[in-house]
Amino acid sequence: MNKLLFWLLAFLLTGCAPAVVPLPIPQTGDLTSLSLATIKSTGPVAVAANGSLLAWSDSALTLYDLATGQQKVLFKKAVDALCWSPDGRYLAAVSTHENQSRLQVYDSRGQRVFEAGFAGRVVRLIWPQQNQLLAGALTYKSYRFGTHIKGRLIEWDQQWRQSEVPLFETTIKPSTAKRLAGQLYKTFDFDLSPLADEVLYTRLYAPPAFEARRYLILHNLQTKEEKRIGVLPLLRGKGRLTREGESVFVSDGLQRIKRLNLWSLKVQHQWAGNTFAYDAGSDLLATETGLYRGQQLLSPLPAGSLTEFSTGGKYLSVIWNRHLYLVSGYPVPVEPAITGVKREKLQKLRRLRSRKLIEPEEYLQARKRLLQ
Amino acid sequence: MKWSLIFLLLLLAAPGLAAERNGKCLDCHQQSAAERQVQNSAHAGELSCVDCHGSDHDAIDRGEAFVGVEVCGRCHQQQLDEHRSSRHGMGLHAGWGCTRNFSGRDRKDCRFCHREGDTQPISTVQCARFIKQSQEMGQIGCNRCHMIENSCASCHTNHRTDARIVKTPQVCAKCHMGPDHPQWEAWQTSQHGTLYSALGSPAAPDCQRCHMPEGTHNISGGLTAPPSGKPFAPQEAADQRQVMLKRCQECHARSFAESELRKADAVRLQTRKLVDEAREIIRDLDDRGLLDPQPSARLEHPQRGKELVLDGAMLYEDISHIESLFFRMNKYAAAKTFKGAYHQNPDYTHWYGNAEVKLLLNDIKAEASRLRERGGQAGNPVTGAMDEKALEILQRRHQRGELDDAEYAEKKRLILEQILQ
């Protein structure tokens, strides 16, 4: 009854079509939500760190200036992935045509400042540091006996120099390739640890005579050592590394989002839902039904929300009921990032742990002492 | 009475039957050396060619009618059982390996490890040193000795049955001599050998008297050091020692024999310790990547791949210089030391053995210093290295059992302290 009343009021107050229906969340404290636009289809959304600019892709790539309310179409086709630079000055987008991808970088006015092509299809783009833009690309080639797939990270530095980090290559049986036709690239997903030394990625495994599986793997970029974290459904589920890099949020496609310890694989906490957004800088989690810090619910979200945080976690874009909203004003913890010698030593300790030269427990003790 | 008469007739006819069965073979092989040897042996008139070789001439031509120990065992079962329970017949395959991939392989070789119609080998033990050799070298240099596992002819020769052949210590010398195990030379130039030269058998002890008393084919009785170098379990060693002491007591007081064998035991352990020291030096160099060339940069070991191999499967080819020194130390000098001691030979024990072991250990240490210096890792083998490398070395030492869990944890803790400072 309350819900019905809410909708009725919302409709009467706004006097608009459903496009401007406010996001049904309690407006407590400083928490606010802005209704931004109606979108034609669900695609990637990215909010700049300061919340002044937002971009989304449905049938086209659109830039939205929140200060002026102006919208500008940057690219007339849908793109696969989007992200903002940490300082919020540049927007990166990747579009695909026939297993070839194109990276386009725009400034805050929407002017294209860089463009580069590369092989493969991208499912995620991240800009963890000002001098590091990363795309995870999957290339594939079909043969009579199966499809050869190759997953790699493509990296651009501040001078737009491009380099690659191969993660895996494997051949999958024809029946699996046929079943996943057109969606094969979605089997590959990745995340970078906050210390930028480890990658969590998903890898398809489907040799002949074996059931197709999709593994979640932790990969140390320096040692190339890997640890298998779990198994996910072929097209659903993802993993994101937590702030301290010792746990992982995993959605398993079965309405469960778990926080697991990376080394013991014990479940630390569990939420309901299939998709989520996580910001390692602020340690905030947004599920399909709520915004959380740790296990504390900061705000409920209407069921079915698709969310994305800005860098630093101050802003949360929400796609709900084909509308795009921007939520802000919730408390965001500010913890200084680990830098300098401490960061280097931590990376070294993690390298030793990845090679099993020290035990996870020894690493934790050393980390604790180092950060005291 | 009637049955006794029939039996007697059959007995008298038996040699004739053998001769008749030989008939077809002798049509062609009448003048062969084999035939002449058989005619002068105890088997003459008793056995036909087909009794041992079978009647499938095509198989004989293909080399598939090998007369293995089982053929002889049909009549000499006790000897076969004794042989099989000894080191001569226990499936060591010390000089063998599968020749399937050899070009120009001799199919006869297969019969040493595979029974007819069976693709599974009798033993899966293979010798890396054999596998590395050419077909010809393998046949002459390896198989001529190591065929003993499945070939009575290895000692008895093919067609003769003259016991004098196998009662002379010379029959053992074919294999038990040379730089790797000079038992024959050590015995020959010992007091025992001198007595044998002067007085002959049975007045003096020879190989057979101590190792094959009363004609037993179990040559391992009384031995307390198995070929792998690993000591016997204490009770088993004590039992075997009693066996040997009983043999010594034929000429010596028990206390004297006990004392001498105990000294030889001590020499063996002292020598092993020196060999272990050298092995550790080389493993440490490998751990640090200082061997030249490293195992990862050489032709692969046929059984272990890119691994450093310093045990019984060690090769003498495609290895580094320091490993060559170790091979000589372990395989030649150490073996001379303790085999000389057990055979009561002072020179083999000391100058050919002990002195060489220690001189080679000096060489190994000097070469190790040179390699460390060249690799920029002179000084303390653990703290002198980078901490990550040091942890890697510690882990390998722990995995090899050189460090127990507590020692390993403590040493790791010290390195982590260094990292955190």
Side-chain angles (χ1 to χ4, degrees):
Chain A
M1 187 64 192
N2 283 343
K3 204 170 178 180
L4 188 66
L5 193 64
F6 172 85
W7 283 112
L8 189 62
L9 276 171
F11 184 78
L12 289 172
L13 287 172
T14 58
C16 298
V20 288
V21 170
L23 189 67
I25 57 172
Q27 306 286 315
T28 54
D30 296 332
L31 191 75
T32 57
S33 72
L34 281 175
S35 176
L36 300 179
T38 301
I39 54 170
K40 292 171 188 161
S41 60
T42 306
V45 178
V47 191
N50 60 7
S52 63
L53 293 165
L54 182 142
W56 76 86
S57 169
D58 43 17
S59 57
L61 172 60
T62 306
L63 179 68
Y64 189 106
D65 186 330
L66 280 99
T68 63
Q70 285 186 333
Q71 291 185 21
K72 184 178 181 181
V73 173
L74 301 181
F75 189 62
K76 288 181 180 171
K77 287 180 183 172
V79 298
D80 284 337
L82 278 177
C83 73
W84 285 94
S85 60
D87 62 4
R89 291 175 57 199
Y90 297 100
L91 172 70
V94 171
S95 59
T96 306
H97 181 65
E98 291 182 352
N99 206 20
Q100 288 290 317
S101 289
R102 178 150 292 274
L103 169 74
Q104 296 170 89
V105 181
Y106 302 89
D107 65 15
S108 54
R109 291 169 300 160
Q111 298 298 312
R112 191 154 55 203
V113 294
F114 178 71
E115 196 171 13
F118 54 93
R121 189 153 183 191
V122 168
V123 76
R124 191 168 189 232
L125 193 60
I126 59 172
W127 207 325
Q129 304 170 77
Q130 205 59 39
N131 61 355
Q132 187 185 33
L133 172 63
L134 279 173
L138 189 86
T139 53
Y140 50 94
K141 190 169 183 183
S142 293
Y143 300 91
R144 188 174 50 79
F145 52 85
T147 298
H148 183 75
I149 60 173
K150 194 157 70 171
R152 67 203 205 284
L153 295 181
I154 300 167
E155 183 174 349
W156 292 270
D157 66 11
Q158 214 153 7
Q159 277 77 46
W160 304 115
R161 284 178 299 220
Q162 185 176 321
S163 58
E164 290 190 11
V165 178
L167 284 178
F168 70 93
E169 53 184 310
T170 185
T171 301
I172 57 170
K173 57 189 171 189
S175 58
T176 303
K178 193 176 171 185
R179 180 148 57 109
L180 297 173
Q183 299 191 87
L184 202 54
Y185 75 103
K186 290 183 181 171
T187 61
F188 178 46
D189 180 53
F190 79 100
D191 191 33
L192 186 72
S193 68
L195 288 173
D197 59 343
E198 288 182 332
V199 170
L200 184 76
Y201 74 92
T202 53
R203 168 187 194 159
L204 190 61
Y205 175 80
F210 283 85
E211 192 185 339
R213 282 166 169 245
R214 184 168 163 246
Y215 289 118
L216 183 65
I217 291 168
L218 183 69
H219 173 102
N220 188 291
L221 288 167
Q222 289 181 336
T223 65
K224 314 291 180 206
E225 296 288 342
E226 297 200 327
K227 177 179 167 60
R228 198 178 285 173
I229 306 300
V231 180
L232 298 177
L234 298 191
L235 290 171
R236 286 173 292 137
K238 65 181 180 183
R240 293 289 178 263
L241 291 161
T242 57
R243 177 181 172 77
E244 81 295 345
E246 295 306 303
S247 305
V248 59
F249 284 102
V250 180
S251 58
D252 61 6
L254 300 169
Q255 280 295 326
R256 288 182 304 205
I257 299 164
K258 299 173 187 171
R259 183 179 169 128
L260 300 174
N261 180 290
L262 269 173
W263 300 93
S264 68
L265 302 182
K266 282 184 182 163
V267 178
Q268 297 166 327
H269 195 68
Q270 191 168 305
W271 297 263
N274 271 332
T275 65
F276 68 92
Y278 174 73
D279 179 69
S282 56
D283 199 22
L284 291 172
L285 170 76
T287 70
E288 292 165 24
T289 55
L291 173 63
Y292 296 86
R293 188 173 65 213
Q295 294 172 31
Q296 183 196 353
L297 178 68
L298 298 179
S299 171
L301 295 172
S305 295
L306 296 176
T307 53
E308 201 64 61
F309 283 104
S310 63
T311 306
K314 276 189 176 176
Y315 301 91
L316 179 71
S317 69
V318 179
I319 295 176
W320 176 74
N321 206 18
R322 290 197 175 271
H323 297 283
L324 177 60
Y325 303 88
L326 187 66
V327 178
S328 60
Y330 44 83
V332 178
V334 180
E335 282 189 45
I338 302 165
T339 54
V341 176
K342 282 187 177 177
R343 182 183 171 97
E344 282 171 19
K345 287 192 174 182
L346 268 186
Q347 286 175 333
K348 180 173 191 168
L349 289 167
R350 288 154 66 86
R351 191 167 68 229
L352 298 177
R353 179 178 60 178
S354 76
R355 295 184 61 199
K356 298 186 176 67
L357 293 173
I358 59 172
E359 298 297 320
E361 191 57 38
E362 288 169 323
Y363 166 79
L364 288 178
Q365 284 172 9
R367 182 181 189 276
K368 194 175 168 186
R369 282 191 51 200
L370 191 67
L371 298 181
Q372 266 172 2
Chain B
M1 181 64 186
K2 189 174 82 179
W3 289 111
S4 300
L5 195 63
I6 292 168
F7 178 72
L8 190 65
L9 283 170
L10 281 172
L11 204 64
L12 289 169
L17 288 172
E20 195 180 316
R21 288 203 302 277
N22 273 339
K24 276 188 181 174
C25 307
L26 296 182
D27 287 348
C28 298
H29 296 282
Q30 181 74 54
Q31 299 301 318
S32 70
E35 169 58 13
R36 283 200 305 277
Q37 288 164 6
V38 170
Q39 289 310 320
N40 291 320
S41 78
H43 288 155
E46 297 288 337
L47 292 176
S48 70
C49 304
V50 296
D51 286 333
C52 297
H53 294 285
S55 55
D56 183 347
H57 204 276
D58 289 340
I60 296 170
D61 283 346
R62 289 196 304 269
E64 293 174 3
F66 178 74
V67 182
V69 290
E70 284 186 345
V71 174
C72 307
R74 286 182 214 148
C75 300
H76 303 282
Q77 188 61 49
Q78 184 193 336
Q79 287 81 358
L80 176 60
D81 291 344
E82 289 169 354
H83 171 77
R84 282 199 166 147
S85 62
S86 81
R87 288 182 196 177
H88 274 172
M90 65 203 299
L92 288 172
H93 289 282
W96 292 95
C98 189
T99 59
R100 186 187 303 121
N101 299 320
F102 279 20
S103 58
R105 62 188 262 224
D106 189 334
R107 288 174 64 90
K108 282 202 291 283
D109 285 350
C110 306
R111 297 298 176 281
F112 282 102
C113 302
H114 297 275
R115 293 197 176 92
E116 192 59 46
D118 193 349
T119 54
Q120 291 300 310
I122 300 160
S123 164
T124 54
V125 179
Q126 296 196 58
C127 176
R129 286 198 282 270
F130 168 80
I131 295 170
K132 288 289 281 186
Q133 306 313 315
S134 68
Q135 180 84 357
E136 296 78 13
M137 178 56 71
Q139 284 182 348
I140 300 173
C142 304
N143 298 355
R144 293 268 161 93
C145 282
H146 292 284
M147 66 192 289
I148 194 168
E149 181 197 342
N150 195 25
S151 171
C152 300
S154 181
C155 298
H156 290 273
T157 72
N158 282 331
H159 294 98
R160 299 176 200 274
T161 54
D162 192 333
R164 284 178 302 175
I165 297 167
V166 287
K167 284 186 176 174
T168 170
Q170 195 71 33
V171 75
C172 310
K174 181 182 84 175
C175 299
H176 293 275
M177 55 84 69
D180 57 335
H181 46 31
Q183 293 101 329
W184 193 79
E185 295 99 316
W187 163 80
Q188 193 194 31
T189 53
S190 72
Q191 196 86 304
H192 287 162
T194 307
L195 284 171
Y196 179 83
S197 297
L199 307 173
S201 187
D206 54 17
C207 308
Q208 290 81 352
R209 177 93 178 263
C210 297
H211 295 292
M212 302 177 78
E214 297 166 8
T216 180
H217 280 60
N218 181 354
I219 48 85
S220 301
L223 301 186
T224 53
S228 64
K230 289 179 186 167
F232 280 177
Q235 189 55 51
E236 192 183 357
D239 292 348
Q240 291 300 332
R241 178 52 50 85
Q242 293 309 314
V243 171
M244 186 54 78
L245 282 171
K246 199 175 162 193
R247 294 173 191 172
C248 300
Q249 279 177 266
E250 290 175 25
C251 303
H252 300 287
R254 183 181 174 86
S255 58
F256 172 78
E258 270 179 333
S259 164
E260 291 304 303
L261 289 173
R262 209 179 296 127
K263 284 176 204 163
D265 289 341
V267 166
R268 177 163 59 88
L269 292 175
Q270 290 155 13
T271 307
R272 281 270 157 247
K273 205 171 169 189
L274 296 171
V275 171
D276 289 345
E277 186 182 341
R279 188 182 285 114
E280 281 319 301
I281 291 170
I282 298 170
R283 278 184 179 157
D284 182 68
L285 291 166
D286 176 46
D287 289 344
R288 290 164 197 283
L290 295 178
L291 292 176
D292 182 18
Q294 274 290 111
S296 54
R298 312 174 192 164
L299 283 176
E300 286 196 1
H301 186 281
Q303 293 167 328
R304 313 266 190 86
K306 299 287 187 188
E307 191 183 308
L308 174 71
V309 178
L310 297 175
D311 57 18
M314 184 183 180
L315 300 175
Y316 50 76
E317 58 221 310
D318 303 321
I319 55 175
S320 64
H321 175 59
I322 197 166
E323 289 165 80
S324 298
L325 295 172
F326 177 78
F327 187 91
R328 287 199 191 98
M329 180 197 192
N330 181 37
K331 185 77 178 159
Y332 296 170
K336 282 173 190 155
T337 310
F338 62 82
K339 287 182 192 300
Y342 282 116
H343 287 90
Q344 307 299 311
N345 186 307
D347 253 50
Y348 267 90
T349 308
H350 188 194
W351 293 114
Y352 291 123
N354 181 56
E356 279 297 317
V357 165
K358 290 178 178 170
L359 287 167
L360 283 162
L361 182 58
N362 288 342
D363 290 349
I364 286 169
K365 284 179 177 173
E367 174 68 357
S369 290
R370 190 185 71 80
L371 290 169
R372 283 195 198 106
E373 230 164 74
R374 197 173 70 166
Q377 292 186 23
N380 188 307
V382 170
T383 55
M386 301 293 286
D387 38 30
E388 190 159 350
K389 192 71 187 168
L391 279 170
E392 198 181 302
I393 292 165
L394 283 179
Q395 188 184 55
R396 290 194 192 183
R397 292 181 64 195
H398 180 243
Q399 285 165 351
R400 290 198 295 260
E402 295 165 23
L403 295 175
D404 63 30
D405 290 348
E407 286 172 317
Y408 180 45
E410 177 59 15
K411 285 182 189 295
K412 267 203 295 186
R413 192 187 64 75
L414 292 174
I415 293 171
L416 283 173
E417 286 290 335
Q418 285 178 5
I419 294 172
L420 292 175
Q421 277 169 10

